[in-house]
Amino acid sequence: MINKLTRSSRVTEVSAVSTRIVAAYNKSNIKEDLQLKEIIAHLEIKSAELTQAIRRKAESNLEEKDEIRDNLLRSLNHLIGAYIYHPDTAFKNAAAEVDNVFEKYSLQITNENYASESSLINSLLEELKRPDLESSVNTLPECSVVISALENAQAGFEAARIIYEKEKAVNGPDKSATIISKTIIRYINNSLVGYLNAMIAIKHETYSMFSNTLIEVISDNNRVVKMRNRKTEEEVV
């Protein structure tokens, strides 16, 4: 069974994964499968588009800034969740108060487009500054530190976005690397992985070698992403 490529993969990681998949297919002996051939051909085209888009430095910087704020949102979620079940009533009640606000937004905002996510983060930060929440925020160790870091990360993202928009205005309205990357992730997960998982069940011998390579490529990537997210949480919290 081939697992799906994690949606939180970086643009450069998605580029590397798609390149490795195409290379593995070109070395395989299953060229007679016309449907798979068409899937790979389309992936190769999108991979080339992504490579071209990555060359735009400002967008690459924007993605890095977005990842910083996403990881801080995960850290805040993790911190609140840890204190929700704390045996000390003071911590538990304070966490519940802060969670009532955070849950209105939740980690789903990290899946929004840049503009929507920025709007939601700004709204979340405003709510977390409410006078009636000050005591609860200060009761939870490191909570105010994470919130402050998120505020700085959001400011850093907005500054990077201004630079990106200026560069885009100069270079023209090409598709962004982020949009192409998300398209590739969906395509790999829904078209390629879905198709191969079905074919393995029917013709295991024919597809096993290429499928095993795909399992390795995706697993390697997902492991790196998971370790990076965990490390970021540990550093902040």
Side-chain angles (χ1 to χ4, degrees), residues 4 27-28 37 42 50 67 71 84-85 91-92 112 117 133 157 178 180-181 183 188 193 197 204-205 208 225:
K4 292 185 175 182
K27 293 178 182 178
S28 72
K37 184 177 182 179
H42 183 70
L50 182 57
E67 185 177 352
N71 284 333
I84 284 285
Y85 301 102
F91 288 142
K92 186 174 182 178
E112 298 287 341
E117 183 175 349
L133 271 183
F157 175 84
T178 302
I180 298 171
S181 176
T183 300
I188 287 174
V193 171
N197 278 332
H204 184 269
E205 267 190 41
S208 62
V225 174

Side-chain angles (χ1 to χ4, degrees), residues 18-120:
S18 58
T19 299
R20 287 180 66 186
I21 290 173
V22 171
Y25 172 78
N26 289 334
K27 293 178 182 178
S28 72
N29 59 352
I30 47 177
K31 307 292 195 311
E32 68 279 2
D33 184 331
L34 297 182
Q35 186 168 346
L36 180 58
K37 184 177 182 179
E38 184 177 334
I39 290 173
I40 295 296
H42 183 70
L43 177 61
E44 190 169 14
I45 291 171
K46 301 307 293 183
S47 180
E49 288 180 11
L50 182 57
T51 299
Q52 182 67 28
I54 286 173
R55 291 173 183 164
R56 295 193 291 273
K57 183 179 179 181
E59 183 175 358
S60 176
N61 184 49
L62 188 65
E63 186 202 8
E64 290 175 8
K65 298 295 185 183
D66 180 53
E67 185 177 352
I68 291 172
R69 63 180 187 171
D70 285 354
N71 284 333
L72 284 165
L73 284 166
R74 295 186 188 101
S75 295
L76 183 58
N77 179 66
H78 177 74
L79 185 148
I80 295 169
Y83 284 111
I84 284 285
Y85 301 102
H86 200 282
D88 188 306
T89 304
F91 288 142
K92 186 174 182 178
N93 291 341
E97 289 291 328
V98 179
D99 191 51
N100 284 337
V101 172
F102 188 81
E103 275 303 302
K104 290 193 291 183
Y105 302 87
S106 78
L107 289 180
Q108 289 300 315
I109 66 177
T110 61
N111 297 324
E112 298 287 341
N113 61 44
Y114 284 158
S116 295
E117 183 175 349
S118 286
S119 177
L120 289 167

Side-chain angles (χ1 to χ4, degrees), residues 120-178:
L120 289 167
I121 288 176
N122 286 331
S123 180
L124 170 62
L125 289 169
E126 282 300 314
E127 287 211 57
L128 290 173
K129 290 179 183 177
R130 283 176 4 208
D132 60 305
L133 271 183
E134 184 177 357
S135 176
S136 295
V137 168
N138 290 335
T139 297
L140 302 178
E142 300 301 321
C143 187
S144 61
V145 175
V146 177
I147 292 172
S148 178
L150 177 60
E151 192 168 21
N152 290 335
Q154 175 60 18
F157 175 84
E158 291 298 344
R161 186 170 178 83
I162 291 172
I163 295 172
Y164 164 69
E165 292 294 347
K166 286 180 178 178
E167 184 179 282
K168 190 170 73 169
V170 173
N171 296 333
D174 292 336
K175 278 189 178 179
S176 75
T178 302

Side-chain angles (χ1 to χ4, degrees), residues 207-226:
Y207 293 87
S208 62
M209 186 173 293
F210 179 56
S211 296
N212 287 338
T213 301
L214 196 60
I215 289 171
E216 181 183 347
V217 170
I218 292 177
S219 295
D220 287 348
N221 177 81
N222 290 354
R223 191 180 306 113
V224 169
V225 174
K226 186 176 181 180

